[in-house]
């Protein structure tokens, strides 16, 4: 399909003149003569079939059509400039785009990327937002996400289990001797993950949820984890979100009780990308980091499975092929 486009020079001349309100200022920006700008605008008006300016002695006034036309052109030229900068800044070499939830990216993946970049300086890494609630995108090389490990058309490799653990600062933990003591504490809740506290209470053998002295609710796990680090209260969190803080002693687990669900954390990618050099390098590195993560869990005594889990755990690697692609 052929685009029916006016002269780009004419569009640039009009956009600059409309933005500045002056042919002279537009000429200075475009490094051409004032006469050239005026001529290009008149040719554009002739092509469009309507006037874009009312020309006064000392100023230009946009017509109704001009006022409707100019902002869109400015936005389009700005977008072209941004795209040019992005393309120009791309390094020549393999590109790895990883879709990952913000909290896992901030508290687990990004702090570890230095070692990957050090060993693979030729691979350009891009981190995209892609949590469990967001759809998988075909322009990603891979994704690291929590789930049951079954995404149609993807290979899924388990990294470590989905483990919930209560965390707080050492100062707060000093007054917590039994899970029932949480009724005197401030509980930190993620508004759309409120059931995680219920699951943990069940794992701790408490049939009824604790009624805390206070509760603070946040819209994201990122904010909730920061609140825990700042000593606001006690949160129940996915272990990868807090494992570094636990290992460093900034946070502690007041009770050695964990809740492991049937879900896990997985590396997932399309079979067509299986031999992608950037993915192969990242895959090998990521499984090494996952093993280190499992060892941290073990040292912290946080690997006990949930006894009441009755949903079968998915296999470590699954490939689901859409029906339309299966051979008869």
């Amino acid at each position: 399909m052929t685009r029916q486009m006016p002269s780009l020079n004419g569009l640039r001349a009009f956009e600059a003149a409309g933005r500045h309100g002056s042919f002279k200022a537009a000429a200075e920006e475009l490094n051409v003569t004032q006469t050239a700008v005026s001529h290009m605008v008149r040719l554009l008006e002739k092509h469009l079939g309507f006037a874009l300016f009312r020309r006064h002695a000392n100023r230009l006034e946009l017509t109704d059509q001009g006022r409707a036309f100019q902002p869109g052109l400015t936005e389009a030229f700005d977008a072209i400039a941004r795209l040019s900068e992005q393309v120009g800044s791309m390094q020549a070499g393999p590109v790895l785009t990883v879709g990952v939830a913000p909290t896992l990216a901030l508290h687990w993946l990004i702090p570890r990327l230095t070692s990957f970049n050090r060993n693979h300086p030729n691979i350009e890494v891009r981190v995209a937002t892609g949590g469990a609630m967001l759809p998988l995108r075909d322009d990603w090389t891979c994704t690291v996400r929590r789930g049951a490990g079954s995404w149609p058309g993807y290979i899924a490799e388990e990294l470590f289990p989905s483990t919930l653990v209560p965390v707080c600062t050492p100062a707060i933990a000093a007054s917590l001797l039994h899970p029932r003591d949480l009724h005197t504490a401030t509980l930190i809740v993620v508004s759309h993950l409120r059931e995680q506290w219920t699951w943990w209470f069940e794992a701790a053998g408490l049939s009824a949820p604790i009624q805390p002295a206070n509760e603070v609710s946040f819209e994201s796990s990122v904010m909730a984890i920061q609140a825990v680090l700042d000593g606001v209260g006690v949160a129940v969190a996915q272990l990868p979100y807090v494992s570094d803080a636990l290992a460093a002693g900034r946070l502690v687990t007041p009770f050695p009780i964990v809740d492991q669900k049937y879900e896990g954390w997985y590396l997932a990618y399309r079979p067509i990308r299986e031999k992608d050099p950037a993915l192969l390098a990242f895959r090998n590195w990521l499984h090494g980091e996952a093993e280190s993560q499992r060892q941290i869990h073990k040292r912290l005594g946080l690997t006990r499975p949930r006894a009441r889990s009755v949903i079968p755990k998915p296999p470590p690697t699954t490939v689901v092929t859409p029906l339309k692609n299966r051979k008869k």
Side-chain angles (χ1 to χ4, degrees), residues 146 189-199 221 236 241:
R146 191 176 76 251
V189 176
V190 180
S191 56
H192 65 283
L193 298 173
R194 182 174 293 273
E195 69 276 7
Q196 290 188 342
W197 266 116
T198 301
W199 295 338
S221 295
V236 62
Y241 299 170

Side-chain angles (χ1 to χ4, degrees), residues 109-146:
L109 181 61
I110 292 174
R112 289 163 172 74
L113 277 180
T114 299
S115 67
F116 179 80
N117 291 334
R118 183 170 55 247
N119 293 321
H120 304 281
N122 64 314
I123 297 177
E124 179 183 349
V125 180
R126 301 175 186 174
V127 178
T129 301
M133 304 303 293
L134 296 175
L136 296 163
R137 289 178 45 171
D138 284 336
D139 59 328
W140 295 343
T141 310
C142 60
T143 180
V144 179
R145 62 176 45 211
R146 191 176 76 251

Side-chain angles (χ1 to χ4, degrees), residues 195-239:
E195 69 276 7
Q196 290 188 342
W197 266 116
T198 301
W199 295 338
W200 185 83
F201 284 134
E202 291 176 357
L206 298 173
S207 57
I210 292 290
Q211 296 300 317
N214 193 18
E215 178 183 294
V216 181
S217 179
F218 294 94
E219 291 186 355
S220 73
S221 295
V222 171
M223 291 188 287
I225 298 304
Q226 187 59 52
V228 178
L229 290 166
D230 290 338
V232 173
V234 186
V236 62
Q238 285 285 334
L239 191 48

Side-chain angles (χ1 to χ4, degrees), residues 62-123:
L62 286 165
T63 63
D64 291 343
Q65 292 95 331
R67 280 195 298 272
F69 200 22
Q70 186 260 322
L73 283 178
T74 300
E75 183 178 342
F77 285 131
D78 286 346
I80 291 171
R82 288 193 299 270
L83 180 61
S84 299
E85 291 178 1
Q86 291 171 7
V87 173
S89 65
M90 289 171 57
Q91 70 179 62
V95 175
L96 177 81
T97 302
V98 185
V100 59
T103 312
L104 187 71
L106 183 64
H107 292 288
W108 193 81
L109 181 61
I110 292 174
R112 289 163 172 74
L113 277 180
T114 299
S115 67
F116 179 80
N117 291 334
R118 183 170 55 247
N119 293 321
H120 304 281
N122 64 314
I123 297 177

Side-chain angles (χ1 to χ4, degrees), residues 170 244-252:
D244 288 350
L246 290 170
R250 289 180 291 148
L251 296 178
V252 297

